[in-house]
């Protein structure tokens, strides 16, 4: 009997060991394929800005292999041929993702977005030329709203199934049997569910005018989705901003309406707006972004400048513009009341005191925190560094060129096309009319709510020769 008990004990111990090993093995496989977090590090600050993580992958990341094949499975959901580039995304040759998109492994490779997706400027001198790329500039062509809608439309399509997706992935990548099972029964179904939820979270966009290329409603998503504030009918559509040269912007009010005064908070809230969570916010990685944009200079005007005419224009600028737009100007970087500047007030009204108060408490209890968000009564008198590539102009991008901006509002274009990055060196902006601009671009109608091109009449009374000289000088900033 004693021997029998000893044998039974050994058998039970062996079974227990096998059970522990099995559970451990399954747990390891699950951890390795679903939760293993591999750091994504780029030595170059430039590459980090373009492709480094800002913490968006855990909550908003899309499995890379699914993301990669979506344009092939659902080309009919895109605005045109060319896959993701039809959305105005800039893709460098030889890179796994476009500028502004990460590929980070958290169990499996996931695609997140970065600051660079909205803050990368491009221009071409002809339709066949490759784009010249300037990091931290405002994107003129990325249609972020169309990207969100594409993902939602794809997930809503009956073809978004494991069979369709896996067949397409095979052209690029061969899964192991474990990966195949995980994608078929877990990752693909969960991705579909998450994208449908994201589409529902952004359904409020459908009751407002479209953003269009190079524009975004940056803070209604924060109000409604992040801060869980009640839906309202405000419209925040506005141009994407340049974020270079921040060391010279120290002390300036930030964002179009000056709702922030801290660069650190602006970078961190930007990451949260892009999809980072309280838990995933990578403070050290975001510090690298802050350091990079603080020292990065804007690009120089690449075309011929008439130096004699520009010298004359510098005096006109000093007399007519410098107090609000020159570094060191008494009002530069400060908020000018909207009743004075006269531009469309929708972007200003979108951000509320309740939103500012709520956001200031968003990080309570975390090592980072917010305290500088506020409500203002106008728009910032911005510095004009790199102005030549910041078209269209005004906070809502309602004026296509500098030449048009110096016209009285009633003489500015009522409609034009934006999102076409071939440069117009005569008017100083991007080509905004003609068949190619129409084919590629987004029709901007200034009669649509939040699209008004009124206001900012400064300089519109100058003689035509003085306007030409002023524009020649503005090219050099």
């Amino acid at each position: 009997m004693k021997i029998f008990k000893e044998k039974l004990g050994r058998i039970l111990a062996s079974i227990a060991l096998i059970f522990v090993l099995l559970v451990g093995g399954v747990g390891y496989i699950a951890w390795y394929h679903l939760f293993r977090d591999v750091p994504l590090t780029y030595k170059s600050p430039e590459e980090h800005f373009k492709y480094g993580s800002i913490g968006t992958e855990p909550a908003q990341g899309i499995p890379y292999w699914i993301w990669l094949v979506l344009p092939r499975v659902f080309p009919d959901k895109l605005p045109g041929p060319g896959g993701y580039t039809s959305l105005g995304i800039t893709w460098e040759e030889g890179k796994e993702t476009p500028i502004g998109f990460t590929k980070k492994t958290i169990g499996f490779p996931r695609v997140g977005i970065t600051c660079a997706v909205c803050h990368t400027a491009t221009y071409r001198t002809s339709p066949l030329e490759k784009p010249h790329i300037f990091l931290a500039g405002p994107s003129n062509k990325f249609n972020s709203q169309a990207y969100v809608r594409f993902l939602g439309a794809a997930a809503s399509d009956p073809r978004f199934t494991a069979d369709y997706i896996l067949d397409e992935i095979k052209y690029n990548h061969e899964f192991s049997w474990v990966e195949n099972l995980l994608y078929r029964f877990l990752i693909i179904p969960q991705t579909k569910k998450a994208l449908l939820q994201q589409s529902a979270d952004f359904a409020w966009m459908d009751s407002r005018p479209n953003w269009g290329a190079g524009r975004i409603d940056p803070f209604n998503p924060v109000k409604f989705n992040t801060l869980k504030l009640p839906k309202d009918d405000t419209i925040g559509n506005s141009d994407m901003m340049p974020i270079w040269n921040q060391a010279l912007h120290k002390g300036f009010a930030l964002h179009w309406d000056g709702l922030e005064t801290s660069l650190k908070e602006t970078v961190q809230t930007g990451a949260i707006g892009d999809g980072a969570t309280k838990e995933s916010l990578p403070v050290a990685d975001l510090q690298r972004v802050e350091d990079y944009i603080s020292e990065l200079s804007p690009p120089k005007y690449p075309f011929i400048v008439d130096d004699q005419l520009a010298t004359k224009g510098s005096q006109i600028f000093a007399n007519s513009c410098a107090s609000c737009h020159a570094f060191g100007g008494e009002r530069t970087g400060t908020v000018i009341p909207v009743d004075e500047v006269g531009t469309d007030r929708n972007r200003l009204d979108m951000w509320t005191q309740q939103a500012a108060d709520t956001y200031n408490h968003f990080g309570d209890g975390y090592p980072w925190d917010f305290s500088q968000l506020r409500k203002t009564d106008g728009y910032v008198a911005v510095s004009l560094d790199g102005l030549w590539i910041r078209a269209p102009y005004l906070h809502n991008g309602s004026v296509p060129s500098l030449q048009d901006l110096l016209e009285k509002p009633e003489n500015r274009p009522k409609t034009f096309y934006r999102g076409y990055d071939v440069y117009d060196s005569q008017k100083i902006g991007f080509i905004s009319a003609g068949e190619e601009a129409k084919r590629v671009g987004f029709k901007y109608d200034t009669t649509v709510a939040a699209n008004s091109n009124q206001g900012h009449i400064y300089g519109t009374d100058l003689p035509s020769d003085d306007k030409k000289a002023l524009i020649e000088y503005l090219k050099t900033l």
Side-chain angles (χ1 to χ4, degrees):
M1 189 67 179
K2 182 179 179 181
I3 295 173
F4 173 76
K5 287 183 178 181
E6 290 176 352
K7 287 183 177 181
L8 180 60
R10 287 195 293 270
I11 292 171
L12 292 174
S14 298
I15 292 172
L17 178 60
I18 292 170
F19 178 77
V20 169
L21 291 173
L22 284 172
V23 171
V26 170
Y28 175 79
I29 290 172
W31 169 82
Y32 187 88
H33 288 287
L34 296 175
F35 305 109
R36 172 181 53 108
D37 193 333
V38 180
L40 182 64
T41 304
Y42 290 94
K43 185 176 181 180
S44 160
E46 177 180 309
E47 293 297 292
H48 177 75
F49 181 78
K50 289 190 287 188
Y51 305 111
S53 174
I54 61 170
T56 61
E57 301 85 5
Q60 298 293 330
I62 303 170
Y64 173 77
W65 296 114
I66 299 175
W67 176 88
L68 186 67
V69 303
L70 288 182
R72 292 209 304 263
V73 181
F74 306 106
D76 52 310
K77 310 298 183 185
L78 288 165
Y84 285 120
T85 60
S86 69
L87 300 170
I89 290 168
T90 300
W91 204 317
E92 295 181 296
E93 291 184 16
K95 298 295 186 178
E96 290 186 296
T97 60
I99 293 175
F101 289 77
T102 66
K103 182 186 177 186
K104 178 177 170 60
T105 296
I106 304 177
F108 49 88
R110 310 182 191 205
V111 172
I113 61 173
T114 79
C115 307
V117 73
C118 291
H119 300 291
T120 297
T122 64
Y123 85 91
R124 294 175 294 157
T125 58
S126 70
L128 298 180
E129 185 182 33
K130 291 182 180 179
H132 301 268
I133 299 169
F134 300 111
L135 300 181
S139 174
N140 168 55
K141 61 182 184 176
F142 176 48
N143 193 327
S144 57
Q145 185 179 51
Y147 177 63
V148 171
R149 285 176 169 165
F150 166 69
L151 296 176
S156 300
D157 193 285
R159 293 170 293 174
F160 199 111
T161 65
D163 286 336
Y164 271 101
I165 302 296
L166 287 172
D167 280 348
E168 284 296 330
I169 291 174
K170 287 177 183 177
Y171 287 103
N172 299 92
H173 181 74
E174 194 67 39
F175 284 139
S176 69
W177 67 270
V178 174
E179 290 175 311
N180 194 72
L181 288 174
L182 286 172
Y183 273 79
R184 177 173 292 278
F185 296 109
L186 182 61
I187 296 175
I188 292 174
Q190 286 300 312
T191 299
K192 180 182 179 76
K193 180 180 179 181
L195 292 180
L196 289 174
Q197 182 59 56
Q198 177 178 267
S199 184
D201 289 342
F202 280 85
W204 55 267
M205 297 189 304
D206 298 337
S207 64
R208 295 160 172 79
N210 288 333
W211 305 347
R215 296 205 308 168
I216 192 171
D217 185 332
F219 284 101
N220 265 332
V222 172
K223 284 162 50 183
F224 304 150
N225 299 338
T226 304
L227 303 180
K228 308 300 182 185
L229 295 177
K231 302 289 194 303
D232 56 35
D233 60 358
T234 58
I235 305 169
N237 299 356
S238 50
D239 242 28
M240 297 170 185
M241 300 187 74
I243 56 173
W244 51 46
N245 223 17
Q246 289 300 314
L248 289 182
H249 293 79
K250 188 174 181 180
F252 286 12
L254 302 172
H255 293 289
W256 286 116
D257 58 344
L259 63 81
E260 254 289 5
T261 58
S262 162
L263 178 59
K264 186 175 298 297
E265 289 189 17
T266 297
V267 172
Q268 292 176 349
T269 55
I272 289 169
D274 286 339
T277 66
K278 295 178 182 179
E279 292 74 22
S280 70
L281 193 71
V283 174
D285 287 335
L286 293 173
Q287 183 63 52
R288 290 191 70 192
V289 171
E290 182 181 340
D291 293 342
Y292 178 68
I293 63 176
S294 292
E295 302 302 325
L296 182 65
S297 298
K300 293 183 178 180
Y301 184 72
F303 307 104
I304 295 173
V305 174
D306 184 329
D307 292 332
Q308 185 175 354
L309 189 60
T311 298
K312 176 184 176 183
S314 69
Q315 293 303 310
I316 299 168
F317 178 82
N319 295 332
S320 303
C321 315
S323 62
C324 285
H325 294 301
F327 287 111
E330 63 176 311
R331 303 184 84 187
T332 306
T334 69
V335 175
I336 309 299
V338 69
D339 291 338
E340 177 182 340
V341 71
T343 51
D344 191 297
R345 65 175 301 129
N346 279 276
R347 168 65 179 79
L348 172 65
D349 292 339
M350 175 274 301
W351 188 246
T352 64
Q353 186 64 54
Q354 180 188 25
D357 293 341
T358 305
Y359 217 177
N360 277 329
H361 290 286
F362 182 77
D364 289 355
Y366 284 81
W368 48 268
D369 198 4
F370 305 144
S371 61
Q372 303 300 309
L373 290 135
R374 61 181 183 171
K375 171 65 183 169
T376 72
D377 64 351
Y379 293 111
V380 177
V382 296
S383 61
L384 304 184
D385 38 336
L387 182 65
W388 68 273
I389 201 169
R390 288 161 57 172
Y393 297 103
L394 298 185
H395 75 272
N396 56 357
S398 58
V399 181
S401 73
L402 287 181
Q403 189 177 102
D404 295 316
L405 186 61
L406 289 176
E407 294 290 334
K408 292 185 182 297
E410 59 267 24
N411 296 326
R412 295 168 182 169
K414 303 296 187 294
T415 61
F416 61 93
Y417 293 92
R418 53 175 300 156
Y420 184 48
D421 68 346
V422 175
Y423 202 75
D424 184 344
S425 59
Q426 298 302 311
K427 300 186 72 174
I428 313 303
F430 298 99
I431 293 175
S432 58
E435 287 303 312
E436 191 64 10
K438 181 178 180 180
R439 184 186 70 81
V440 174
F442 166 80
K443 184 178 181 179
Y444 191 101
D445 184 344
T446 59
T447 66
V448 170
N451 283 6
S452 170
N453 64 0
Q454 300 298 296
H456 198 281
I457 60 172
Y458 314 110
T460 59
D461 287 328
L462 290 170
S464 59
D465 287 347
D466 284 358
K467 289 180 181 180
K468 289 179 182 178
L470 177 58
I471 288 174
E472 202 67 17
Y473 174 70
L474 294 175
K475 296 175 183 178
T476 69
L477 298 178

